[in-house]
Amino acid sequence: MRKPRCKELKSRPRSWTYNVHRATFKFESTDEDKRKKLCEGIFKVLIKDIPTTCQVSCLEVLRILSRDKKVLVPVTTKENMQILLRLAKLNELDDSLEKVSEFPVIVESLKCLCNIVFNSQMAQQLSLELNLAAKLCNLLRKCKDRKFINDIKCFDLRLLFLLSLLHTDIRSQLRYELQGLPLLTQILESAFSIKWTDEYESAVDHNGPPLSPQETDCAIEALKALFNVTVDSWKVHKESDSHQFRVMAAVLRHCLLIVGPTEDKTEELHSNAVNLLSNVPVSCLDVLICPLTHEETAQEATTLDELPSNKTAEKETVLKNNTMVYNGMNMEAIHVLLNFMEKRIDKGSSYREGLTPVLSLLTECSRAHRNIRKFLKDQVLPPLRDVTNRPEVGSTVRNKLVRLMTHVDLGVKQIAAEFLFVLCKERVDSLLKYTGYGNAAGLLAARGLLAGGRGDNWYSEDEDTDTEEYKNAKPKEELLKPMGLKPDGTITPLEEALNQYSVIEETSSDTD
């Protein structure tokens, strides 16, 4: 039987209209009234009981028109928003999403809502009035374990991200009232098909297939929404919060160890994981590393025995079966973060947005967790053997970070210097050994450590890692010494100059 046609809409949208304008984002002002009338006509049709194909066609055109903010002003009403909520299955509490034929309508309705909420302040206010965030969470619960409706989850999550971005009140509602943290974490678990081997450990198949494009997009949207939900969560006050954050950090560890369908998608996925990890309380980041299993421990011992006895430093870090091991701990995730950081440095642009988040994360991890710091020190600042070239010359990670210590962007050079300083346990003499005085002068001046000493944080004492090459070259370093002006204007070693000024100040005080 032939399906009924959309007679209510005189200039009804056809497939060719959508195909011609699907990439249109700028509109002629002369046609503004026509577009407004078309929007109004589409809503009049959508309220009717019409075939699914006609609903999809109407929604496709509405999605294009909703990119124009001026067109949305007269049509963004509570009634029209409720029409889209109904089509997106956001009003039915008990609907189980069994009708696959309705999925395209749900997806297109969610896409329209994303555009309308993003472009219309009135729609943003109506979203609060209609309690849209709660409806979106309810829809997510219906489909969180069903892979064949990834498009619905993806645009549901995108709309949730937009709402939490535009309204700080919704962030609080998502976090506490709607239990958004465990819900969104479960969405990530489903996207990654995680199988838990312990409370905070998951099985990772390094030879498994990459994530599909749909799974990757869904995970990225969930990561962005979670970032907004947790953006003010740097402190943990309850044990239940600590557990939730540890579970999320364990999921993010898994995320770092898998890949997307393309290299660019993998980088985008890992970038959003890094941003989210920055919101996790540092005390909960211990789950990024985990002890080896008995089998892995046996493999590591075998590998260590195979190394020559004179390779003592190299024995600390072992790569076995694609697993980066240090001091009996699995360091794969930290190694991925280190490689991600180096790639961002190599890009040579957008350091503030692309590099500082991962540098800050590694710095805080190193400051709070000894094993992570020692592993990163081993990777970034291995024992010095090349003592003939300046610290900023070369292609190692150390050379690249030292070059950043004199970068024109104040924020970039501060965090690069801070990272290296923490790896050196905030000891000035150790930092100078690896970076040189000139490169470290900015950080030392800011901390009042130009004359030497160490920072405020306590670190455990490690064994001496000076190589024979460095010990032989160390006496020659006296050729370069920080200098200062004495009160009489002559140049003298900085420490002596500071001492003379101290004597003058004490004399002045006694005279007074």
Side-chain angles (χ1 to χ4, degrees):
M1 181 181 293
R2 190 175 182 180
K3 292 184 178 180
R5 303 173 69 185
C6 307
K7 295 181 180 180
E8 292 86 350
L9 188 60
K10 294 181 180 178
S11 301
R12 68 182 182 277
R14 297 178 182 271
S15 59
W16 63 266
T17 305
Y18 171 69
N19 290 331
V20 169
H21 296 287
R22 62 187 303 173
T24 300
F25 290 89
K26 293 183 179 179
F27 302 90
E28 296 292 335
S29 58
T30 54
D31 296 331
E32 186 176 316
D33 289 338
K34 293 180 180 179
R35 292 195 300 275
K36 288 179 181 177
K37 289 181 180 178
L38 181 56
C39 268
E40 292 169 353
I42 289 174
F43 277 109
K44 290 178 180 177
V45 172
L46 289 174
I47 203 171
K48 306 288 185 180
D49 184 16
I50 57 175
T52 300
T53 53
C54 189
Q55 287 178 327
V56 172
S57 296
C58 289
L59 291 166
E60 286 175 341
V61 176
L62 180 62
R63 172 158 56 89
I64 296 172
L65 294 171
S66 62
R67 298 168 184 166
D68 184 357
K69 294 182 180 180
K70 294 180 180 179
V71 166
L72 291 177
V73 173
V75 297
T76 305
T77 64
K78 186 175 182 179
E79 293 74 20
N80 287 342
M81 288 285 287
Q82 287 175 323
I83 291 173
L84 292 175
L85 296 184
R86 175 178 57 81
L87 292 172
K89 299 297 180 184
L90 291 170
N91 278 341
E92 294 106 7
L93 295 176
D94 299 322
D95 187 55
S96 57
L97 299 179
E98 293 297 333
K99 295 182 179 178
V100 178
S101 61
E102 294 180 341
F103 288 179
V105 176
I106 299 173
V107 172
E108 284 300 325
S109 300
L110 288 170
K111 289 179 180 180
C112 289
L113 284 168
C114 286
N115 282 356
I116 293 171
V117 168
F118 181 72
N119 287 316
S120 169
Q121 290 187 349
M122 177 59 71
Q124 294 164 22
Q125 289 301 122
L126 288 171
S127 298
L128 291 172
E129 184 180 337
L130 294 167
N131 202 13
L132 181 53
K135 298 177 187 298
L136 289 168
C137 287
N138 184 62
L139 181 59
L140 279 177
R141 290 187 177 92
K142 296 177 190 176
C143 59
K144 65 182 180 183
D145 296 321
R146 301 173 64 179
K147 289 182 175 296
F148 59 90
I149 49 178
N150 270 327
D151 282 345
I152 295 177
K153 285 194 287 188
C154 184
F155 289 102
D156 184 307
L157 289 165
R158 182 171 298 179
L159 186 50
L160 207 55
F161 162 72
L162 288 172
L163 289 173
S164 57
L165 176 68
L166 297 166
H167 285 288
T168 55
D169 291 344
I170 288 182
R171 295 177 198 168
S172 179
Q173 182 191 18
L174 277 170
R175 174 75 190 280
Y176 300 106
E177 178 187 334
L178 301 175
Q179 295 297 299
L181 182 55
L183 172 62
L184 293 171
T185 302
Q186 289 167 10
I187 293 294
L188 284 176
E189 287 184 51
S190 175
F192 299 147
S193 301
I194 288 182
K195 296 178 180 177
W196 297 104
T197 58
D198 205 340
E199 187 176 20
Y200 303 122
E201 294 178 33
S202 63
V204 179
D205 183 5
H206 293 287
N207 299 316
L211 291 178
S212 69
Q214 294 80 11
E215 289 168 339
T216 306
D217 288 340
C218 187
I220 289 172
E221 295 299 335
L223 290 169
K224 288 158 61 178
L226 267 171
F227 178 86
N228 289 344
V229 172
T230 60
V231 71
D232 300 319
S233 302
W234 61 276
K235 283 188 176 180
V236 175
H237 301 286
K238 297 186 297 185
E239 189 63 31
S240 59
D241 289 341
S242 178
H243 170 69
Q244 287 180 1
F245 277 110
R246 277 194 161 85
V247 171
M248 187 177 75
V251 172
L252 294 176
R253 178 186 181 274
H254 188 99
C255 176
L256 292 172
L257 302 181
I258 56 180
V259 296
T262 65
E263 186 175 344
D264 288 344
K265 275 296 181 182
T266 299
E267 183 172 356
E268 184 181 0
L269 181 69
H270 289 176
S271 178
N272 281 284
V274 167
N275 291 340
L276 182 51
L277 279 169
S278 300
N279 288 351
V280 177
V282 69
S283 60
C284 301
L285 292 175
D286 54 345
V287 300
L288 290 179
I289 61 175
C290 54
L292 300 180
T293 63
H294 293 300
E295 294 79 7
E296 290 172 332
T297 302
Q299 291 175 348
E300 183 197 17
T302 303
T303 307
L304 285 172
D305 291 338
E306 292 171 355
L307 288 175
S309 58
N310 63 335
K311 297 289 186 178
T312 54
E314 286 82 349
K315 281 192 175 186
E316 293 291 343
T317 306
V318 180
L319 182 65
K320 185 71 173 178
N321 294 336
N322 293 324
T323 301
M324 184 64 67
V325 176
Y326 182 87
N327 199 25
M329 304 294 287
N330 185 322
M331 292 287 178
E332 288 178 283
I334 304 300
H335 194 248
V336 170
L337 290 172
L338 185 61
N339 289 337
F340 180 85
M341 179 201 72
E342 188 172 8
K343 286 181 182 178
R344 287 296 171 95
I345 294 176
D346 292 342
K347 278 190 173 183
S349 61
S350 303
Y351 280 158
R352 182 173 285 272
E353 299 81 13
L355 177 62
T356 54
V358 66
L359 261 178
S360 299
L361 174 63
L362 290 174
T363 301
E364 293 307 313
C365 284
S366 300
R367 183 176 279 124
H369 302 289
R370 180 173 180 263
N371 276 321
I372 294 177
R373 176 183 58 77
K374 294 188 70 175
F375 170 74
L376 288 172
K377 169 78 179 299
D378 184 72
Q379 297 292 305
V380 177
L381 301 176
L384 280 176
R385 301 192 184 281
D386 179 9
V387 293
T388 58
N389 292 316
R390 295 191 303 274
E392 68 270 20
V393 176
S395 58
T396 66
V397 182
R398 173 177 76 103
N399 302 142
K400 295 172 183 178
L401 285 166
V402 171
R403 287 196 289 270
L404 288 179
M405 293 174 76
T406 54
H407 195 270
V408 293
D409 189 305
L410 181 62
V412 172
K413 72 178 183 181
Q414 283 179 338
I415 190 59
E418 184 75 11
F419 177 51
L420 293 175
F421 195 43
V422 169
L423 292 188
C424 294
K425 297 186 293 184
E426 300 190 22
R427 288 174 47 186
V428 173
D429 57 343
S430 180
L431 180 69
L432 296 182
K433 178 173 79 172
Y434 288 105
T435 69
Y437 191 86
N439 294 313
L443 177 136
L444 298 180
R447 285 174 167 258
L449 294 172
L450 283 171
R454 64 188 307 166
D456 298 329
N457 294 287
W458 181 88
Y459 298 87
S460 61
E461 293 297 331
D462 294 335
E463 66 278 3
D464 180 27
T465 59
D466 287 350
T467 62
E468 289 300 319
E469 293 89 340
Y470 178 74
K471 289 177 180 178
N472 293 333
K474 188 174 182 179
K476 302 176 184 178
E477 288 186 334
E478 294 299 317
L479 294 173
L480 292 174
K481 182 180 293 185
M483 308 295 284
L485 288 176
K486 294 195 295 185
D488 62 3
T490 58
I491 296 177
T492 188
L494 179 62
E495 186 173 358
E496 183 180 337
L498 291 172
N499 288 335
Q500 290 195 15
Y501 280 108
S502 298
V503 171
I504 291 175
E505 287 181 4
E506 290 175 3
T507 303
S508 301
S509 300
D510 293 341
T511 303
D512 292 341

